[in-house]
Amino acid sequence: MTHEFWWQSVEIIQVVSTDQFLKFAELTNDDAPHHIDTSVAQSMGYQDCIGQGLFVLSITGEASSKYLELINKNGVTYGYEKLRFPAPVYSGDSLTITYEPESISEKNVLSSKITVKKSSGEVALAGTHLLKILEW
């Protein structure tokens, strides 16, 4: 089985906003005070309200979709491994999302490194995305 296109990586940039954090909180009921109340977030040592970790993860979906377009294949998320959220994400942050394929299994499950970096260079999310390629 040859996969001559699987190694191509994708990078996108997205600027996030308070409005996105609030909409995500409404959609998921993840309305913990440090996500929606500046004074609470600041009392916890943050500069401002922080984006939900799962919000940050959700915006990586654009990169995997772009990857599938790039290789002209269909696929679905199979899972995630070793997710970490080492730095907070604030409204106005410019995030660079990198999707880097690393390996593919005999069952067509692609393992790709996903990284979300802030313009400061801090890593806001790191982990592995498992993508089931539906046909080669």
Side-chain angles (χ1 to χ4, degrees):
M1 164 163 63
T2 54
H3 308 295
E4 58 275 352
F5 301 111
W6 75 270
W7 52 265
Q8 298 181 62
S9 63
V10 171
E11 184 174 283
I12 59 171
I13 297 174
Q14 187 172 133
V15 177
V16 296
S17 69
T18 300
D19 188 52
Q20 288 175 303
F21 301 164
L22 294 174
K23 286 179 181 176
F24 192 84
E26 184 178 333
L27 178 68
T28 63
N29 292 319
D30 186 358
D31 59 358
H34 55 283
H35 297 311
I36 61 172
D37 185 326
T38 300
S39 63
V40 171
Q42 289 175 339
S43 75
M44 296 173 72
Y46 297 109
Q47 298 170 6
D48 201 345
C49 292
I50 61 171
Q52 301 87 339
L54 290 180
F55 166 74
V56 177
L57 176 62
S58 73
I59 65 173
T60 68
E62 181 181 358
S64 60
S65 294
K66 297 278 185 204
Y67 174 78
L68 287 168
E69 287 176 24
L70 181 68
I71 65 167
N72 196 30
K73 301 293 179 194
N74 290 312
V76 295
T77 293
Y78 190 72
Y80 294 91
E81 294 178 340
K82 300 179 184 175
L83 285 176
R84 302 290 181 267
F85 304 91
V89 170
Y90 299 106
S91 180
D93 277 348
S94 177
L95 304 175
T96 300
I97 301 156
T98 307
Y99 192 85
E100 300 174 271
E102 295 181 317
S103 64
I104 189 157
S105 74
E106 288 298 316
K107 294 185 178 186
N108 286 345
V109 176
L110 180 74
S111 294
S112 297
K113 179 179 174 184
I114 51 172
T115 309
V116 177
K117 283 188 181 178
K118 299 167 60 159
S119 56
S120 66
E122 289 178 285
V123 174
L125 178 147
T128 300
H129 180 234
L130 304 176
L131 182 65
K132 173 73 173 169
I133 306 295
L134 299 179
E135 81 286 329
W136 275 106

